[in-house]
Each structure stands twice: as structure tokens, then as C-alpha cells.
Amino acid sequence: EKGGYPSFMEKEINDQPDAVAQTLLGRSDAQGKLILDELRIDETILRSVDKIVVLACGTSAYAGQVAKYAIEHWCRIPTEVELSHEFRYRDPIVNEKTLVVAISQSGETMDTLMAVRYAREQGAKVVAICNTNGSTIPRESDAVLYTHAGPEIAVASTKAFLAQITAAYLLGLYLAQLRGNKFGDEIADVMADLADMPAKIQSILDNADKVKKLARDMSNAKSVLFLGRHVGFPVAMEGALKLKELAYIHAEGFAAGELKHGPIALIEDGQPVVVVVPSPNGRDSLHAKVVSNIQEIRARGAVTIVIAEEGDTSVEAYAEHVFYVPKTPTLLAPLLTTVPLQIFACELASAKGYDVDQPRNLAKSVTVE
Ligand code: F6R
């Protein structure tokens, strides 16, 4: 049932092209127009929401953070992302004009379920993004957008994460279409780019040897830092979480722009730092800023491990190791840049002899508060 792989986690990492393809399947027509029949919330309500609140925990919350960049850009609806357990125990502002998006692979996470109940009590509509048919969170929500990643067995989430991001893109594009924020052509272009993602993910999987070798060579690392910017920021945090939970190594993800506000003090000779570089074709000068971050930390002795877009040779002067991912529009890049980080954590933990499917102290679904 592991499909010939040594672990469920490796199988699930390799299932990702299919997880994304299945999540896209049947949700648009030939012209790229979104069809989300399952979103059974009155269209007038969806047109009038003035705020979106994404609620989730752990990896699912990082999917939510990626969703925020995309939804605000496409829909121009203010979007907040909050950890379910924090949301529930303050006095959050939610009402009939709020659309809550609850993201949960298992659909059984108690913290997220409690947050969903609370939001509905306040009059908010709740859409669940969930991977488990008939689980509790979708049952208690107003609508559900299932991720069709297939059952995820390994405790650490991989294919569900990419499927959650994909489903969140679909939701964002659907709302943009419904509310007339974006012209049909623009939505169809993003849908075409999304349709290319499974093959691009596959090409990363087909070229995983280099990242695996680096992971094995680094199995004695005591701490690894991850930097990213824009959508690369949640990717950096996800890369760090995978390494903590699987390899029991101290790891932390930072927004690259935050470096000079404190974290750069951590850089000393030999400190490994993974940097997720935005596309050079992206917006503003983000690419140049992140490249100069790489230069700064390298000058202070960091061992720089860079994830960059194919053809971006500008990173090579300052990178100890470079892993290229296929070219893709900036907002969709997390579907690619996450993959080498998953492989890195999985391979490093395996090299240390750990059980990557069942990391210590963790449970697949956290059904207690
Ligand atoms: C990390 C991981 C956890 C879950 C979190 C939420 O690899 O698996 O951080 O993402 O416990 O779980 P769900 O999505 O089931 O609500």
C-alpha cells in the first residue's frame, strides 16, 4: 500500500501531482470558468461578504497564509489568517458579513471545530476546505470544498497541503468571478497555469536526487533556518515545521525582510539557511531584495541553500547549493517551492534513522483542545 516507497510520507510526496490534478478536476469548464456547485451558500451572501477569515492549525494554517496573498490579490476582500486556537479565545470580530474558511486535512481538529462553531454562532458563513469525506468540520460548516488528495497516512502533512492551497486558489478565483473583480480572461489564464502545475511538480520529483544527497550530508545539523518573502514566507515556515517534526532539529522560518530586525544575529559560521527566492519576473523588487539577503547572510558565514526559479542564475554567486523549480507565476509558486523542502526533511529524518510516518509525540489528528 506504500506503492513501493519505503514510507507513506515518500509515497504521499510523490502523489502530489495527482493530488493537485484531482483537486482541480471538474471544477471549471473548457473556457476556464469556475464551477463550484458544492459551494452551497447563497450567491448574494458571497457577493456581500466584506471580510474573509481563514482558520486552521499547523501546516493547514500555512496553506491559509498562502491563500491570503491570492485571495486579496484576486478578490480585493480583506483576508485574515488566524490559528483556530487563538481565534476562539479572544473576542474576534465576525458577523453575517464574514466568510470563514476553515482548512483541515482531517476535518477532526478540535481547535478548528470549536472556532467554526463559534464563528457560526456569530452569524458568519463557513466554508470548510477538507480532505476527509463526511468528517466533523465539513458536517458543521455551511459548505465544503473537498481536497481530493486521497487518504493521507503519514502524520506529517504533504499532499494535503498542496491540495489545500489548490482548493483555496479555486475558492479565490470563484469569488473573483462571482464578484466581477477580475475579467474572465484573467481567471482563465490562472486556471491554465494551474492545469500545468501537476507536470511541474512531477519534474521536481523526477529530479529529487540532488536535494536528497544534500539532506543526507546535513544529517548532523543542529539548527536550520528558512527564509522567504511574499508567498515564500509561509513556504519557509512549512519547510521549518517539516524539519522540526520529522528530524527533531531546531528549525525556524522567517520573513526575509525581518532578518535585519533581529534574526540575522543568529547567523554564524556554518549556519545552514534555506532561502526561498521569488521569481525574478514577479512584482516589485522582491527578487533583488531576497538575493541581497542571501549575500548578507553568506558574508556572515551562513551555508546558503537556495530554492530559485529555473534560469535565475543571479543566485548562483551567493548560493552554496541551488535547487531550481520550473518557472511559474508568483502566486502559484508555493505548489512548487514547497516540494524540495518536504523531500529535504523526509530524507534527512530517514538518514537519521527516524520513522518519518510516525514522528514522536505527534498524532495525525488532534481531537483534543
Ligand atoms: C504538520 C501537520 C499538522 C497539521 C495540523 C492541522 O505536518 O500535519 O501541523 O497540519 O495538526 O491538522 P488538520 O489539517 O487535520 O486540521
Side-chain angles (χ1 to χ4, degrees):
E1 63 213 352
K2 292 178 191 165
Y5 292 100
S7 62
F8 282 108
M9 187 179 180
E10 257 191 77
K11 174 185 179 289
E12 289 162 7
I13 288 173
N14 283 280
D15 279 348
Q16 292 183 115
D18 207 38
V20 170
Q22 290 297 323
T23 301
L24 293 171
L25 197 70
R27 284 172 163 162
S28 61
D29 68 14
Q31 282 71 48
K33 182 168 180 267
L34 276 292
I35 310 165
L36 294 187
D37 288 339
E38 60 259 71
L39 218 64
R40 292 198 186 89
I41 298 176
D42 196 324
E43 289 193 1
T44 47
I45 295 177
L46 291 178
R47 279 200 193 90
S48 68
V49 296
D50 63 7
K51 180 166 91 164
I52 293 176
V53 176
V54 184
L55 299 174
C57 304
T59 289
S60 298
Y62 297 141
Q65 294 206 20
V66 172
K68 174 189 160 86
Y69 289 87
I71 293 175
E72 286 199 340
H73 180 71
W74 292 329
C75 308
R76 310 308 296 157
I77 306 172
T79 303
E80 300 169 6
V81 187
E82 192 161 358
L83 295 166
S84 313
H85 35 88
E86 285 297 318
F87 171 85
R88 176 66 188 84
Y89 291 98
R90 57 185 189 88
D91 194 6
I93 302 168
V94 268
N95 54 44
E96 307 73 39
K97 294 212 156 238
T98 312
L99 181 67
V100 166
V101 180
I103 308 181
S104 176
Q105 187 286 130
S106 61
E108 301 296 347
T109 299
M110 186 56 75
D111 289 316
T112 303
L113 176 61
M114 298 304 276
V116 164
R117 285 185 183 158
Y118 178 82
R120 291 193 75 201
E121 276 163 27
Q122 309 304 307
K125 292 289 181 205
V126 178
V127 180
I129 291 180
C130 184
N131 197 47
T132 312
N133 265 312
S135 54
T136 311
I137 291 169
R139 277 195 279 117
E140 296 209 14
S141 299
D142 295 283
V144 54
L145 207 51
Y146 280 109
T147 46
H148 298 299
E152 193 177 62
I153 310 292
V155 165
S157 186
T158 54
K159 64 177 180 176
F161 179 66
L162 295 204
Q164 288 165 342
I165 294 173
T166 305
Y169 291 149
L170 292 175
L171 178 64
L173 292 168
Y174 179 78
L175 291 173
Q177 176 179 290
L178 193 72
R179 295 163 65 105
N181 302 76
K182 287 279 166 200
F183 300 110
D185 287 358
E186 222 172 317
I187 294 175
D189 287 348
V190 182
M191 290 305 293
D193 290 328
L194 275 173
D196 290 341
M197 298 313 278
K200 291 181 182 179
I201 298 166
Q202 188 61 51
S203 82
I204 298 171
L205 298 170
D206 291 342
N207 293 291
D209 286 354
K210 202 175 140 199
V211 75
K212 286 185 178 175
K213 181 179 184 306
L214 177 68
R216 290 191 296 269
D217 290 348
M218 284 184 59
S219 59
N220 290 322
K222 290 280 169 287
S223 152
V224 181
L225 306 179
F226 292 74
L227 297 178
R229 203 166 170 148
H230 192 263
V231 289
F233 173 33
V235 170
M237 291 192 290
E238 170 62 5
L241 179 60
K242 288 286 97 92
L243 199 58
K244 288 177 219 187
E245 59 182 346
L246 296 167
Y248 319 143
I249 290 177
H250 169 258
E252 235 179 299
F254 299 106
E258 197 62 8
L259 204 55
K260 58 183 171 300
H261 300 288
I264 199 164
L266 289 169
I267 307 296
E268 57 184 6
D269 208 33
Q271 171 67 54
V273 184
V274 177
V275 186
V276 182
V277 179
S279 165
N281 309 310
R283 331 175 48 202
D284 313 320
S285 48
L286 282 191
H287 174 267
K289 289 188 169 133
V290 175
V291 173
S292 91
N293 288 144
I294 303 172
Q295 195 176 352
E296 283 157 13
I297 58 175
R298 174 80 178 267
R300 289 163 179 77
V303 175
T304 51
I305 301 158
V306 171
I307 314 292
E309 191 175 273
E310 245 154 48
D312 181 9
T313 49
S314 68
V315 296
E316 285 172 10
Y318 315 111
E320 217 85 40
H321 307 275
V322 188
F323 300 99
Y324 286 113
V325 298
K327 277 199 170 63
T328 219
T330 301
L331 283 170
L332 307 188
L335 292 179
L336 305 182
T337 51
T338 304
V339 179
L341 307 187
Q342 297 167 334
I343 296 167
F344 180 74
C346 183
E347 188 70 16
L348 198 154
S350 305
K352 293 178 85 165
Y354 298 146
D355 179 349
V356 293
D357 289 340
Q358 295 283 343
R360 68 185 182 202
N361 307 342
L362 293 172
K364 182 66 183 160
S365 83
V366 185
T367 54
V368 291
E369 267 197 272

PDB file of all heavy atoms in Angstrom, residues 56-61 103-109 112 137 152 155-158 164 238 241-242 245 363-366, ligand 1:
ATOM      1  N   ALA A  56      -7.277  27.736  10.868  1.00  0.00           N
ATOM      2  CA  ALA A  56      -6.619  26.433  10.707  1.00  0.00           C
ATOM      3  C   ALA A  56      -5.492  26.330  11.724  1.00  0.00           C
ATOM      4  O   ALA A  56      -5.185  27.299  12.426  1.00  0.00           O
ATOM      5  CB  ALA A  56      -6.048  26.305   9.286  1.00  0.00           C
ATOM      6  N   CYS A  57      -4.875  25.157  11.779  1.00  0.00           N
ATOM      7  CA  CYS A  57      -3.710  24.946  12.647  1.00  0.00           C
ATOM      8  C   CYS A  57      -2.573  24.334  11.825  1.00  0.00           C
ATOM      9  O   CYS A  57      -2.821  23.651  10.825  1.00  0.00           O
ATOM     10  CB  CYS A  57      -4.013  23.958  13.769  1.00  0.00           C
ATOM     11  SG  CYS A  57      -5.408  24.413  14.789  1.00  0.00           S
ATOM     12  N   GLY A  58      -1.365  24.539  12.282  1.00  0.00           N
ATOM     13  CA  GLY A  58      -0.191  23.859  11.734  1.00  0.00           C
ATOM     14  C   GLY A  58      -0.012  24.095  10.248  1.00  0.00           C
ATOM     15  O   GLY A  58      -0.159  25.213   9.744  1.00  0.00           O
ATOM     16  N   THR A  59       0.279  23.021   9.554  1.00  0.00           N
ATOM     17  CA  THR A  59       0.503  23.095   8.110  1.00  0.00           C
ATOM     18  C   THR A  59      -0.707  23.683   7.392  1.00  0.00           C
ATOM     19  O   THR A  59      -0.560  24.477   6.457  1.00  0.00           O
ATOM     20  CB  THR A  59       0.834  21.672   7.582  1.00  0.00           C
ATOM     21  OG1 THR A  59       2.143  21.333   8.060  1.00  0.00           O
ATOM     22  CG2 THR A  59       0.812  21.597   6.080  1.00  0.00           C
ATOM     23  N   SER A  60      -1.900  23.334   7.834  1.00  0.00           N
ATOM     24  CA  SER A  60      -3.106  23.858   7.185  1.00  0.00           C
ATOM     25  C   SER A  60      -3.175  25.382   7.318  1.00  0.00           C
ATOM     26  O   SER A  60      -3.700  26.072   6.436  1.00  0.00           O
ATOM     27  CB  SER A  60      -4.353  23.216   7.792  1.00  0.00           C
ATOM     28  OG  SER A  60      -4.311  21.820   7.572  1.00  0.00           O
ATOM     29  N   ALA A  61      -2.642  25.917   8.423  1.00  0.00           N
ATOM     30  CA  ALA A  61      -2.624  27.369   8.594  1.00  0.00           C
ATOM     31  C   ALA A  61      -1.629  28.017   7.625  1.00  0.00           C
ATOM     32  O   ALA A  61      -1.846  29.151   7.182  1.00  0.00           O
ATOM     33  CB  ALA A  61      -2.294  27.736  10.035  1.00  0.00           C
ATOM     34  N   ILE A 103      -9.708  25.420   7.248  1.00  0.00           N
ATOM     35  CA  ILE A 103      -8.908  24.445   6.497  1.00  0.00           C
ATOM     36  C   ILE A 103      -8.453  23.333   7.433  1.00  0.00           C
ATOM     37  O   ILE A 103      -7.823  23.595   8.453  1.00  0.00           O
ATOM     38  CB  ILE A 103      -7.675  25.108   5.838  1.00  0.00           C
ATOM     39  CG1 ILE A 103      -8.101  26.330   5.008  1.00  0.00           C
ATOM     40  CG2 ILE A 103      -6.924  24.097   4.974  1.00  0.00           C
ATOM     41  CD1 ILE A 103      -6.942  27.038   4.295  1.00  0.00           C
ATOM     42  N   SER A 104      -8.819  22.102   7.092  1.00  0.00           N
ATOM     43  CA  SER A 104      -8.406  20.967   7.922  1.00  0.00           C
ATOM     44  C   SER A 104      -8.314  19.702   7.083  1.00  0.00           C
ATOM     45  O   SER A 104      -9.291  19.309   6.446  1.00  0.00           O
ATOM     46  CB  SER A 104      -9.410  20.758   9.056  1.00  0.00           C
ATOM     47  OG  SER A 104      -9.071  19.620   9.817  1.00  0.00           O
ATOM     48  N   GLN A 105      -7.164  19.102   7.066  1.00  0.00           N
ATOM     49  CA  GLN A 105      -6.993  17.843   6.341  1.00  0.00           C
ATOM     50  C   GLN A 105      -7.942  16.794   6.911  1.00  0.00           C
ATOM     51  O   GLN A 105      -8.693  16.155   6.188  1.00  0.00           O
ATOM     52  CB  GLN A 105      -5.529  17.377   6.467  1.00  0.00           C
ATOM     53  CG  GLN A 105      -5.132  16.164   5.629  1.00  0.00           C
ATOM     54  CD  GLN A 105      -5.651  14.831   6.127  1.00  0.00           C
ATOM     55  OE1 GLN A 105      -6.232  14.068   5.344  1.00  0.00           O
ATOM     56  NE2 GLN A 105      -5.503  14.541   7.403  1.00  0.00           N
ATOM     57  N   SER A 106      -7.866  16.612   8.232  1.00  0.00           N
ATOM     58  CA  SER A 106      -8.618  15.525   8.875  1.00  0.00           C
ATOM     59  C   SER A 106     -10.099  15.849   9.018  1.00  0.00           C
ATOM     60  O   SER A 106     -10.937  14.950   9.052  1.00  0.00           O
ATOM     61  CB  SER A 106      -8.041  15.265  10.269  1.00  0.00           C
ATOM     62  OG  SER A 106      -8.175  16.435  11.073  1.00  0.00           O
ATOM     63  N   GLY A 107     -10.404  17.135   9.152  1.00  0.00           N
ATOM     64  CA  GLY A 107     -11.781  17.524   9.458  1.00  0.00           C
ATOM     65  C   GLY A 107     -12.174  17.242  10.898  1.00  0.00           C
ATOM     66  O   GLY A 107     -13.338  17.381  11.271  1.00  0.00           O
ATOM     67  N   GLU A 108     -11.196  16.849  11.700  1.00  0.00           N
ATOM     68  CA  GLU A 108     -11.496  16.489  13.098  1.00  0.00           C
ATOM     69  C   GLU A 108     -10.702  17.305  14.113  1.00  0.00           C
ATOM     70  O   GLU A 108     -10.778  17.029  15.308  1.00  0.00           O
ATOM     71  CB  GLU A 108     -11.199  14.998  13.339  1.00  0.00           C
ATOM     72  CG  GLU A 108     -11.977  14.034  12.450  1.00  0.00           C
ATOM     73  CD  GLU A 108     -13.496  14.068  12.678  1.00  0.00           C
ATOM     74  OE1 GLU A 108     -13.954  14.645  13.687  1.00  0.00           O
ATOM     75  OE2 GLU A 108     -14.223  13.524  11.813  1.00  0.00           O
ATOM     76  N   THR A 109      -9.924  18.250  13.667  1.00  0.00           N
ATOM     77  CA  THR A 109      -9.101  19.041  14.596  1.00  0.00           C
ATOM     78  C   THR A 109     -10.007  19.831  15.544  1.00  0.00           C
ATOM     79  O   THR A 109     -10.768  20.693  15.100  1.00  0.00           O
ATOM     80  CB  THR A 109      -8.172  19.975  13.788  1.00  0.00           C
ATOM     81  OG1 THR A 109      -7.329  19.152  12.995  1.00  0.00           O
ATOM     82  CG2 THR A 109      -7.336  20.855  14.690  1.00  0.00           C
ATOM     83  N   THR A 112     -10.004  23.702  15.518  1.00  0.00           N
ATOM     84  CA  THR A 112     -10.646  24.308  14.343  1.00  0.00           C
ATOM     85  C   THR A 112     -12.162  24.108  14.404  1.00  0.00           C
ATOM     86  O   THR A 112     -12.933  25.011  14.074  1.00  0.00           O
ATOM     87  CB  THR A 112     -10.015  23.745  13.046  1.00  0.00           C
ATOM     88  OG1 THR A 112      -8.608  24.015  13.095  1.00  0.00           O
ATOM     89  CG2 THR A 112     -10.613  24.373  11.797  1.00  0.00           C
ATOM     90  N   ILE A 137     -15.829  18.645  10.736  1.00  0.00           N
ATOM     91  CA  ILE A 137     -15.790  20.064  10.345  1.00  0.00           C
ATOM     92  C   ILE A 137     -16.656  20.339   9.107  1.00  0.00           C
ATOM     93  O   ILE A 137     -17.484  21.253   9.142  1.00  0.00           O
ATOM     94  CB  ILE A 137     -14.334  20.569  10.219  1.00  0.00           C
ATOM     95  CG1 ILE A 137     -13.703  20.620  11.630  1.00  0.00           C
ATOM     96  CG2 ILE A 137     -14.261  21.942   9.537  1.00  0.00           C
ATOM     97  CD1 ILE A 137     -12.204  20.839  11.665  1.00  0.00           C
ATOM     98  N   GLU A 152      -4.414  10.609   3.581  1.00  0.00           N
ATOM     99  CA  GLU A 152      -3.038  10.926   3.967  1.00  0.00           C
ATOM    100  C   GLU A 152      -2.738  10.152   5.247  1.00  0.00           C
ATOM    101  O   GLU A 152      -3.383  10.369   6.272  1.00  0.00           O
ATOM    102  CB  GLU A 152      -2.887  12.436   4.177  1.00  0.00           C
ATOM    103  CG  GLU A 152      -1.444  12.887   4.261  1.00  0.00           C
ATOM    104  CD  GLU A 152      -1.325  14.409   4.388  1.00  0.00           C
ATOM    105  OE1 GLU A 152      -1.825  14.948   5.395  1.00  0.00           O
ATOM    106  OE2 GLU A 152      -0.761  15.030   3.495  1.00  0.00           O
ATOM    107  N   VAL A 155       1.923  11.058   9.360  1.00  0.00           N
ATOM    108  CA  VAL A 155       1.483  12.108  10.288  1.00  0.00           C
ATOM    109  C   VAL A 155       1.767  13.499   9.719  1.00  0.00           C
ATOM    110  O   VAL A 155       0.931  14.399   9.780  1.00  0.00           O
ATOM    111  CB  VAL A 155       2.132  11.900  11.678  1.00  0.00           C
ATOM    112  CG1 VAL A 155       1.988  13.147  12.534  1.00  0.00           C
ATOM    113  CG2 VAL A 155       1.480  10.706  12.375  1.00  0.00           C
ATOM    114  N   ALA A 156       2.942  13.676   9.146  1.00  0.00           N
ATOM    115  CA  ALA A 156       3.289  14.991   8.594  1.00  0.00           C
ATOM    116  C   ALA A 156       2.544  15.209   7.280  1.00  0.00           C
ATOM    117  O   ALA A 156       2.560  14.368   6.385  1.00  0.00           O
ATOM    118  CB  ALA A 156       4.789  15.087   8.370  1.00  0.00           C
ATOM    119  N   SER A 157       1.917  16.350   7.168  1.00  0.00           N
ATOM    120  CA  SER A 157       1.087  16.635   6.011  1.00  0.00           C
ATOM    121  C   SER A 157       1.930  17.084   4.817  1.00  0.00           C
ATOM    122  O   SER A 157       2.803  17.933   4.951  1.00  0.00           O
ATOM    123  CB  SER A 157       0.094  17.727   6.390  1.00  0.00           C
ATOM    124  OG  SER A 157      -0.811  17.927   5.343  1.00  0.00           O
ATOM    125  N   THR A 158       1.698  16.484   3.667  1.00  0.00           N
ATOM    126  CA  THR A 158       2.415  16.887   2.446  1.00  0.00           C
ATOM    127  C   THR A 158       1.424  17.107   1.307  1.00  0.00           C
ATOM    128  O   THR A 158       1.125  18.233   0.941  1.00  0.00           O
ATOM    129  CB  THR A 158       3.468  15.830   2.022  1.00  0.00           C
ATOM    130  OG1 THR A 158       2.836  14.539   1.905  1.00  0.00           O
ATOM    131  CG2 THR A 158       4.612  15.773   3.014  1.00  0.00           C
ATOM    132  N   GLN A 164      -4.741  21.657  -0.400  1.00  0.00           N
ATOM    133  CA  GLN A 164      -5.428  22.761   0.294  1.00  0.00           C
ATOM    134  C   GLN A 164      -5.148  24.093  -0.399  1.00  0.00           C
ATOM    135  O   GLN A 164      -6.046  24.926  -0.577  1.00  0.00           O
ATOM    136  CB  GLN A 164      -4.921  22.870   1.745  1.00  0.00           C
ATOM    137  CG  GLN A 164      -5.411  21.751   2.647  1.00  0.00           C
ATOM    138  CD  GLN A 164      -4.615  21.664   3.950  1.00  0.00           C
ATOM    139  OE1 GLN A 164      -3.509  22.202   4.066  1.00  0.00           O
ATOM    140  NE2 GLN A 164      -5.175  20.987   4.940  1.00  0.00           N
ATOM    141  N   GLU A 238       6.641  26.389   6.570  1.00  0.00           N
ATOM    142  CA  GLU A 238       6.273  24.987   6.366  1.00  0.00           C
ATOM    143  C   GLU A 238       7.533  24.109   6.261  1.00  0.00           C
ATOM    144  O   GLU A 238       7.580  23.017   6.834  1.00  0.00           O
ATOM    145  CB  GLU A 238       5.401  24.866   5.098  1.00  0.00           C
ATOM    146  CG  GLU A 238       5.130  23.456   4.608  1.00  0.00           C
ATOM    147  CD  GLU A 238       4.364  22.571   5.582  1.00  0.00           C
ATOM    148  OE1 GLU A 238       3.933  23.044   6.648  1.00  0.00           O
ATOM    149  OE2 GLU A 238       4.229  21.371   5.271  1.00  0.00           O
ATOM    150  N   LEU A 241       8.757  23.646   9.761  1.00  0.00           N
ATOM    151  CA  LEU A 241       7.899  22.741  10.542  1.00  0.00           C
ATOM    152  C   LEU A 241       8.177  21.278  10.173  1.00  0.00           C
ATOM    153  O   LEU A 241       8.282  20.411  11.051  1.00  0.00           O
ATOM    154  CB  LEU A 241       6.419  23.089  10.325  1.00  0.00           C
ATOM    155  CG  LEU A 241       5.410  22.203  11.070  1.00  0.00           C
ATOM    156  CD1 LEU A 241       5.620  22.257  12.586  1.00  0.00           C
ATOM    157  CD2 LEU A 241       3.976  22.597  10.734  1.00  0.00           C
ATOM    158  N   LYS A 242       8.308  21.010   8.881  1.00  0.00           N
ATOM    159  CA  LYS A 242       8.578  19.634   8.453  1.00  0.00           C
ATOM    160  C   LYS A 242       9.873  19.126   9.082  1.00  0.00           C
ATOM    161  O   LYS A 242       9.953  17.990   9.543  1.00  0.00           O
ATOM    162  CB  LYS A 242       8.687  19.526   6.917  1.00  0.00           C
ATOM    163  CG  LYS A 242       7.396  19.668   6.139  1.00  0.00           C
ATOM    164  CD  LYS A 242       6.467  18.471   6.206  1.00  0.00           C
ATOM    165  CE  LYS A 242       5.400  18.682   7.255  1.00  0.00           C
ATOM    166  NZ  LYS A 242       4.156  19.271   6.825  1.00  0.00           N
ATOM    167  N   GLU A 245       9.396  18.498  12.939  1.00  0.00           N
ATOM    168  CA  GLU A 245       8.574  17.362  13.342  1.00  0.00           C
ATOM    169  C   GLU A 245       9.147  16.021  12.904  1.00  0.00           C
ATOM    170  O   GLU A 245       8.941  15.022  13.576  1.00  0.00           O
ATOM    171  CB  GLU A 245       7.106  17.530  12.918  1.00  0.00           C
ATOM    172  CG  GLU A 245       6.861  17.689  11.461  1.00  0.00           C
ATOM    173  CD  GLU A 245       5.372  17.908  11.151  1.00  0.00           C
ATOM    174  OE1 GLU A 245       4.517  17.676  12.002  1.00  0.00           O
ATOM    175  OE2 GLU A 245       5.089  18.324  10.010  1.00  0.00           O
ATOM    176  N   ALA A 363       0.255  13.148  16.774  1.00  0.00           N
ATOM    177  CA  ALA A 363      -0.862  12.326  16.323  1.00  0.00           C
ATOM    178  C   ALA A 363      -1.368  12.882  14.996  1.00  0.00           C
ATOM    179  O   ALA A 363      -1.241  14.081  14.741  1.00  0.00           O
ATOM    180  CB  ALA A 363      -1.988  12.357  17.340  1.00  0.00           C
ATOM    181  N   LYS A 364      -1.909  12.048  14.157  1.00  0.00           N
ATOM    182  CA  LYS A 364      -2.382  12.510  12.845  1.00  0.00           C
ATOM    183  C   LYS A 364      -3.541  13.479  12.979  1.00  0.00           C
ATOM    184  O   LYS A 364      -3.618  14.444  12.268  1.00  0.00           O
ATOM    185  CB  LYS A 364      -2.780  11.311  11.969  1.00  0.00           C
ATOM    186  CG  LYS A 364      -3.241  11.688  10.561  1.00  0.00           C
ATOM    187  CD  LYS A 364      -2.114  12.279   9.728  1.00  0.00           C
ATOM    188  CE  LYS A 364      -2.533  12.747   8.354  1.00  0.00           C
ATOM    189  NZ  LYS A 364      -1.560  13.716   7.788  1.00  0.00           N
ATOM    190  N   SER A 365      -4.458  13.180  13.888  1.00  0.00           N
ATOM    191  CA  SER A 365      -5.487  14.191  14.048  1.00  0.00           C
ATOM    192  C   SER A 365      -5.642  14.525  15.521  1.00  0.00           C
ATOM    193  O   SER A 365      -5.659  13.652  16.379  1.00  0.00           O
ATOM    194  CB  SER A 365      -6.771  13.816  13.315  1.00  0.00           C
ATOM    195  OG  SER A 365      -7.554  12.972  14.046  1.00  0.00           O
ATOM    196  N   VAL A 366      -5.654  15.826  15.768  1.00  0.00           N
ATOM    197  CA  VAL A 366      -5.595  16.316  17.149  1.00  0.00           C
ATOM    198  C   VAL A 366      -7.022  16.626  17.601  1.00  0.00           C
ATOM    199  O   VAL A 366      -7.535  17.706  17.367  1.00  0.00           O
ATOM    200  CB  VAL A 366      -4.679  17.545  17.249  1.00  0.00           C
ATOM    201  CG1 VAL A 366      -4.520  17.985  18.698  1.00  0.00           C
ATOM    202  CG2 VAL A 366      -3.298  17.227  16.654  1.00  0.00           C
TER     203      VAL A 366
HETATM  204  C1  F6R B   1       2.116  19.077  10.153  1.00  0.00           C
HETATM  205  C2  F6R B   1       0.763  18.633  10.441  1.00  0.00           C
HETATM  206  C3  F6R B   1      -0.062  19.406  11.413  1.00  0.00           C
HETATM  207  C4  F6R B   1      -1.495  19.577  10.886  1.00  0.00           C
HETATM  208  C5  F6R B   1      -2.386  20.247  11.943  1.00  0.00           C
HETATM  209  C6  F6R B   1      -3.783  20.506  11.409  1.00  0.00           C
HETATM  210  O1  F6R B   1       2.743  18.256   9.227  1.00  0.00           O
HETATM  211  O2  F6R B   1       0.319  17.652   9.890  1.00  0.00           O
HETATM  212  O3  F6R B   1       0.518  20.661  11.692  1.00  0.00           O
HETATM  213  O4  F6R B   1      -1.448  20.317   9.711  1.00  0.00           O
HETATM  214  O5  F6R B   1      -2.456  19.441  13.077  1.00  0.00           O
HETATM  215  O6  F6R B   1      -4.417  19.311  11.053  1.00  0.00           O
HETATM  216  P1  F6R B   1      -5.718  19.299  10.179  1.00  0.00           P
HETATM  217  O7  F6R B   1      -5.364  19.862   8.845  1.00  0.00           O
HETATM  218  O8  F6R B   1      -6.144  17.868  10.112  1.00  0.00           O
HETATM  219  O9  F6R B   1      -6.734  20.167  10.868  1.00  0.00           O
END
